[in-house]
Amino acid sequence: MFLVTVFQADHYKSLRNTMVETQLVSRGIGDKAVLDAMRKVPRHLLVPEKIKDFAYDDRPLPIGEGQTISQPYIVAFMTELIKPHPEMKVLEIGTGSGYQAAVLAEIVREVFTIEIFEGLGKRASRDLQNLGYQNIQVRIGDGYKGWPEEAPFDAIIVTAAPSEIPQPLIEQLKDGGSMIIPVGQEGKIQQLILGEKKNGKFKTRTVSNVQFVPFLREQKKS
Ligand code: SAH
């Protein structure tokens, strides 16, 4: 049994290293901390058991409730854009599987993450705890309102697409901080926006086109 576990861990480690080289490095991800985090986080332990063998494929995967875990490249790209470093306190909206939170937690000091589906939030919280992450807090609720008690944040990552950037999130961003967020209508091409707050002013630019699941609101959820 022990040997089987060691063999499997090795197998997934090698899939992870290949994923990092062929999907991330080859497409221009250069931040060493991000690459190291993605070599380390066991993505296969954060997706539903029956699809764990596809965990390192170059695509998003279903995680239940009609939601998806983002493609590894998108996770790396968004993480790199907030220029993560060990002093940071980061807010994520859309915990999903917990994978993005884990990648962040490998690099930054503290991660606060909000998930609107109770089932997903509880599962992610349990899985992240089992993996030993002590610097991630998961809250169940509508991320539109952010996490005022913990604000301000050095960076905010939103992993579901609203039609406009939620004002409370702009307010909860620290001066000098950055936000990465997909914006647009469901099923249409959405824009990945990088916002930066400087001297109290929030300025945005579009970095690429993306497709994310919609940003839900509490009353519209089911
Ligand atoms: N970051 C996730 C990706 C999950 S997909 C991961 O690494 O796996 C986006 C997630 O956002 C879904 O789980 C969805 O339920 C959640 N979501 C959508 N609208 C939300 C909202 N208003 N507040 C919090 N979470 C939301």
Side-chain angles (χ1 to χ4, degrees), residues 178-197:
S178 53
M179 184 190 311
I180 184 82
I181 177 167
V183 177
Q185 303 301 320
E186 183 179 358
K188 299 222 172 105
I189 300 289
Q190 303 148 352
Q191 265 79 49
L192 190 63
I193 308 275
L194 179 66
E196 280 166 329
K197 208 190 236 185

PDB file of all heavy atoms in Angstrom, residues 178-197:
ATOM      1  N   SER A 178      -3.620  45.400  -6.797  1.00  0.00           N
ATOM      2  CA  SER A 178      -4.168  45.094  -8.119  1.00  0.00           C
ATOM      3  C   SER A 178      -5.262  44.044  -8.051  1.00  0.00           C
ATOM      4  O   SER A 178      -5.297  43.201  -7.152  1.00  0.00           O
ATOM      5  CB  SER A 178      -3.044  44.646  -9.058  1.00  0.00           C
ATOM      6  OG  SER A 178      -2.327  43.603  -8.476  1.00  0.00           O
ATOM      7  N   MET A 179      -6.167  44.142  -9.046  1.00  0.00           N
ATOM      8  CA  MET A 179      -7.288  43.207  -9.126  1.00  0.00           C
ATOM      9  C   MET A 179      -7.296  42.591 -10.518  1.00  0.00           C
ATOM     10  O   MET A 179      -7.091  43.283 -11.514  1.00  0.00           O
ATOM     11  CB  MET A 179      -8.600  43.959  -8.910  1.00  0.00           C
ATOM     12  CG  MET A 179      -9.809  43.027  -8.889  1.00  0.00           C
ATOM     13  SD  MET A 179     -11.419  43.869  -8.930  1.00  0.00           S
ATOM     14  CE  MET A 179     -11.301  45.104  -7.682  1.00  0.00           C
ATOM     15  N   ILE A 180      -7.516  41.270 -10.563  1.00  0.00           N
ATOM     16  CA  ILE A 180      -7.666  40.628 -11.864  1.00  0.00           C
ATOM     17  C   ILE A 180      -9.049  39.988 -11.902  1.00  0.00           C
ATOM     18  O   ILE A 180      -9.433  39.263 -10.994  1.00  0.00           O
ATOM     19  CB  ILE A 180      -6.493  39.646 -12.141  1.00  0.00           C
ATOM     20  CG1 ILE A 180      -6.587  39.046 -13.533  1.00  0.00           C
ATOM     21  CG2 ILE A 180      -6.342  38.550 -11.115  1.00  0.00           C
ATOM     22  CD1 ILE A 180      -6.049  39.933 -14.599  1.00  0.00           C
ATOM     23  N   ILE A 181      -9.803  40.324 -12.958  1.00  0.00           N
ATOM     24  CA  ILE A 181     -11.219  39.945 -12.986  1.00  0.00           C
ATOM     25  C   ILE A 181     -11.725  39.802 -14.432  1.00  0.00           C
ATOM     26  O   ILE A 181     -11.467  40.676 -15.256  1.00  0.00           O
ATOM     27  CB  ILE A 181     -12.049  41.005 -12.189  1.00  0.00           C
ATOM     28  CG1 ILE A 181     -13.554  40.690 -12.241  1.00  0.00           C
ATOM     29  CG2 ILE A 181     -11.799  42.431 -12.668  1.00  0.00           C
ATOM     30  CD1 ILE A 181     -14.373  41.501 -11.228  1.00  0.00           C
ATOM     31  N   PRO A 182     -12.423  38.688 -14.721  1.00  0.00           N
ATOM     32  CA  PRO A 182     -13.044  38.573 -16.043  1.00  0.00           C
ATOM     33  C   PRO A 182     -14.367  39.330 -16.032  1.00  0.00           C
ATOM     34  O   PRO A 182     -15.113  39.236 -15.061  1.00  0.00           O
ATOM     35  CB  PRO A 182     -13.284  37.063 -16.193  1.00  0.00           C
ATOM     36  CG  PRO A 182     -13.424  36.566 -14.788  1.00  0.00           C
ATOM     37  CD  PRO A 182     -12.679  37.512 -13.878  1.00  0.00           C
ATOM     38  N   VAL A 183     -14.650  40.087 -17.069  1.00  0.00           N
ATOM     39  CA  VAL A 183     -15.885  40.878 -17.109  1.00  0.00           C
ATOM     40  C   VAL A 183     -16.598  40.649 -18.434  1.00  0.00           C
ATOM     41  O   VAL A 183     -15.968  40.660 -19.492  1.00  0.00           O
ATOM     42  CB  VAL A 183     -15.575  42.391 -16.930  1.00  0.00           C
ATOM     43  CG1 VAL A 183     -16.844  43.220 -17.047  1.00  0.00           C
ATOM     44  CG2 VAL A 183     -14.929  42.655 -15.573  1.00  0.00           C
ATOM     45  N   GLY A 184     -17.918  40.427 -18.365  1.00  0.00           N
ATOM     46  CA  GLY A 184     -18.686  40.266 -19.608  1.00  0.00           C
ATOM     47  C   GLY A 184     -19.894  39.392 -19.406  1.00  0.00           C
ATOM     48  O   GLY A 184     -20.154  38.905 -18.306  1.00  0.00           O
ATOM     49  N   GLN A 185     -20.639  39.203 -20.492  1.00  0.00           N
ATOM     50  CA  GLN A 185     -21.870  38.414 -20.419  1.00  0.00           C
ATOM     51  C   GLN A 185     -21.570  36.932 -20.533  1.00  0.00           C
ATOM     52  O   GLN A 185     -20.614  36.532 -21.194  1.00  0.00           O
ATOM     53  CB  GLN A 185     -22.815  38.814 -21.556  1.00  0.00           C
ATOM     54  CG  GLN A 185     -23.180  40.288 -21.583  1.00  0.00           C
ATOM     55  CD  GLN A 185     -23.848  40.748 -20.301  1.00  0.00           C
ATOM     56  OE1 GLN A 185     -24.663  40.024 -19.739  1.00  0.00           O
ATOM     57  NE2 GLN A 185     -23.492  41.931 -19.824  1.00  0.00           N
ATOM     58  N   GLU A 186     -22.458  36.128 -19.934  1.00  0.00           N
ATOM     59  CA  GLU A 186     -22.330  34.671 -19.989  1.00  0.00           C
ATOM     60  C   GLU A 186     -22.409  34.187 -21.438  1.00  0.00           C
ATOM     61  O   GLU A 186     -23.227  34.653 -22.222  1.00  0.00           O
ATOM     62  CB  GLU A 186     -23.495  34.055 -19.193  1.00  0.00           C
ATOM     63  CG  GLU A 186     -23.415  32.565 -19.137  1.00  0.00           C
ATOM     64  CD  GLU A 186     -24.564  31.963 -18.325  1.00  0.00           C
ATOM     65  OE1 GLU A 186     -25.390  32.709 -17.777  1.00  0.00           O
ATOM     66  OE2 GLU A 186     -24.592  30.732 -18.259  1.00  0.00           O
ATOM     67  N   GLY A 187     -21.526  33.244 -21.778  1.00  0.00           N
ATOM     68  CA  GLY A 187     -21.572  32.640 -23.111  1.00  0.00           C
ATOM     69  C   GLY A 187     -20.943  33.504 -24.189  1.00  0.00           C
ATOM     70  O   GLY A 187     -20.708  33.061 -25.297  1.00  0.00           O
ATOM     71  N   LYS A 188     -20.654  34.780 -23.863  1.00  0.00           N
ATOM     72  CA  LYS A 188     -19.993  35.655 -24.838  1.00  0.00           C
ATOM     73  C   LYS A 188     -18.511  35.729 -24.481  1.00  0.00           C
ATOM     74  O   LYS A 188     -18.102  35.298 -23.412  1.00  0.00           O
ATOM     75  CB  LYS A 188     -20.593  37.060 -24.780  1.00  0.00           C
ATOM     76  CG  LYS A 188     -22.082  37.113 -25.105  1.00  0.00           C
ATOM     77  CD  LYS A 188     -22.394  38.307 -25.988  1.00  0.00           C
ATOM     78  CE  LYS A 188     -23.828  38.262 -26.470  1.00  0.00           C
ATOM     79  NZ  LYS A 188     -24.672  39.235 -25.744  1.00  0.00           N
ATOM     80  N   ILE A 189     -17.751  36.286 -25.395  1.00  0.00           N
ATOM     81  CA  ILE A 189     -16.340  36.505 -25.081  1.00  0.00           C
ATOM     82  C   ILE A 189     -16.270  37.540 -23.961  1.00  0.00           C
ATOM     83  O   ILE A 189     -16.924  38.581 -24.025  1.00  0.00           O
ATOM     84  CB  ILE A 189     -15.570  37.039 -26.320  1.00  0.00           C
ATOM     85  CG1 ILE A 189     -15.644  36.025 -27.481  1.00  0.00           C
ATOM     86  CG2 ILE A 189     -14.127  37.360 -25.969  1.00  0.00           C
ATOM     87  CD1 ILE A 189     -14.838  34.776 -27.280  1.00  0.00           C
ATOM     88  N   GLN A 190     -15.501  37.224 -22.952  1.00  0.00           N
ATOM     89  CA  GLN A 190     -15.346  38.168 -21.846  1.00  0.00           C
ATOM     90  C   GLN A 190     -13.922  38.730 -21.858  1.00  0.00           C
ATOM     91  O   GLN A 190     -13.033  38.130 -22.450  1.00  0.00           O
ATOM     92  CB  GLN A 190     -15.588  37.445 -20.519  1.00  0.00           C
ATOM     93  CG  GLN A 190     -16.961  36.780 -20.428  1.00  0.00           C
ATOM     94  CD  GLN A 190     -16.942  35.523 -19.585  1.00  0.00           C
ATOM     95  OE1 GLN A 190     -15.887  35.042 -19.169  1.00  0.00           O
ATOM     96  NE2 GLN A 190     -18.113  34.967 -19.348  1.00  0.00           N
ATOM     97  N   GLN A 191     -13.767  39.871 -21.206  1.00  0.00           N
ATOM     98  CA  GLN A 191     -12.437  40.480 -21.127  1.00  0.00           C
ATOM     99  C   GLN A 191     -11.822  40.211 -19.757  1.00  0.00           C
ATOM    100  O   GLN A 191     -12.517  40.370 -18.747  1.00  0.00           O
ATOM    101  CB  GLN A 191     -12.529  41.994 -21.313  1.00  0.00           C
ATOM    102  CG  GLN A 191     -12.298  42.469 -22.727  1.00  0.00           C
ATOM    103  CD  GLN A 191     -13.527  42.282 -23.580  1.00  0.00           C
ATOM    104  OE1 GLN A 191     -14.616  42.662 -23.175  1.00  0.00           O
ATOM    105  NE2 GLN A 191     -13.358  41.686 -24.746  1.00  0.00           N
ATOM    106  N   LEU A 192     -10.568  39.815 -19.778  1.00  0.00           N
ATOM    107  CA  LEU A 192      -9.857  39.708 -18.506  1.00  0.00           C
ATOM    108  C   LEU A 192      -9.263  41.088 -18.239  1.00  0.00           C
ATOM    109  O   LEU A 192      -8.482  41.611 -19.039  1.00  0.00           O
ATOM    110  CB  LEU A 192      -8.753  38.646 -18.597  1.00  0.00           C
ATOM    111  CG  LEU A 192      -8.098  38.279 -17.275  1.00  0.00           C
ATOM    112  CD1 LEU A 192      -9.103  37.646 -16.308  1.00  0.00           C
ATOM    113  CD2 LEU A 192      -6.946  37.308 -17.492  1.00  0.00           C
ATOM    114  N   ILE A 193      -9.699  41.679 -17.116  1.00  0.00           N
ATOM    115  CA  ILE A 193      -9.311  43.060 -16.803  1.00  0.00           C
ATOM    116  C   ILE A 193      -8.318  43.071 -15.648  1.00  0.00           C
ATOM    117  O   ILE A 193      -8.527  42.392 -14.639  1.00  0.00           O
ATOM    118  CB  ILE A 193     -10.551  43.877 -16.357  1.00  0.00           C
ATOM    119  CG1 ILE A 193     -11.695  43.762 -17.378  1.00  0.00           C
ATOM    120  CG2 ILE A 193     -10.201  45.313 -16.036  1.00  0.00           C
ATOM    121  CD1 ILE A 193     -11.649  44.710 -18.513  1.00  0.00           C
ATOM    122  N   LEU A 194      -7.258  43.870 -15.810  1.00  0.00           N
ATOM    123  CA  LEU A 194      -6.330  44.103 -14.703  1.00  0.00           C
ATOM    124  C   LEU A 194      -6.576  45.525 -14.205  1.00  0.00           C
ATOM    125  O   LEU A 194      -6.470  46.482 -14.971  1.00  0.00           O
ATOM    126  CB  LEU A 194      -4.879  43.946 -15.177  1.00  0.00           C
ATOM    127  CG  LEU A 194      -3.808  44.193 -14.119  1.00  0.00           C
ATOM    128  CD1 LEU A 194      -3.852  43.148 -13.000  1.00  0.00           C
ATOM    129  CD2 LEU A 194      -2.409  44.188 -14.743  1.00  0.00           C
ATOM    130  N   GLY A 195      -6.960  45.634 -12.941  1.00  0.00           N
ATOM    131  CA  GLY A 195      -7.216  46.956 -12.371  1.00  0.00           C
ATOM    132  C   GLY A 195      -6.148  47.277 -11.329  1.00  0.00           C
ATOM    133  O   GLY A 195      -5.726  46.396 -10.581  1.00  0.00           O
ATOM    134  N   GLU A 196      -5.723  48.528 -11.307  1.00  0.00           N
ATOM    135  CA  GLU A 196      -4.735  48.939 -10.304  1.00  0.00           C
ATOM    136  C   GLU A 196      -5.178  50.218  -9.620  1.00  0.00           C
ATOM    137  O   GLU A 196      -5.681  51.133 -10.276  1.00  0.00           O
ATOM    138  CB  GLU A 196      -3.364  49.111 -10.971  1.00  0.00           C
ATOM    139  CG  GLU A 196      -2.694  47.762 -11.146  1.00  0.00           C
ATOM    140  CD  GLU A 196      -1.501  47.760 -12.083  1.00  0.00           C
ATOM    141  OE1 GLU A 196      -1.471  48.563 -13.038  1.00  0.00           O
ATOM    142  OE2 GLU A 196      -0.602  46.936 -11.862  1.00  0.00           O
ATOM    143  N   LYS A 197      -5.010  50.232  -8.302  1.00  0.00           N
ATOM    144  CA  LYS A 197      -5.400  51.425  -7.540  1.00  0.00           C
ATOM    145  C   LYS A 197      -4.134  52.207  -7.207  1.00  0.00           C
ATOM    146  O   LYS A 197      -3.203  51.668  -6.606  1.00  0.00           O
ATOM    147  CB  LYS A 197      -6.091  50.991  -6.249  1.00  0.00           C
ATOM    148  CG  LYS A 197      -7.096  52.004  -5.732  1.00  0.00           C
ATOM    149  CD  LYS A 197      -7.565  51.629  -4.352  1.00  0.00           C
ATOM    150  CE  LYS A 197      -9.071  51.503  -4.328  1.00  0.00           C
ATOM    151  NZ  LYS A 197      -9.550  51.256  -2.952  1.00  0.00           N
TER     152      LYS A 197
END
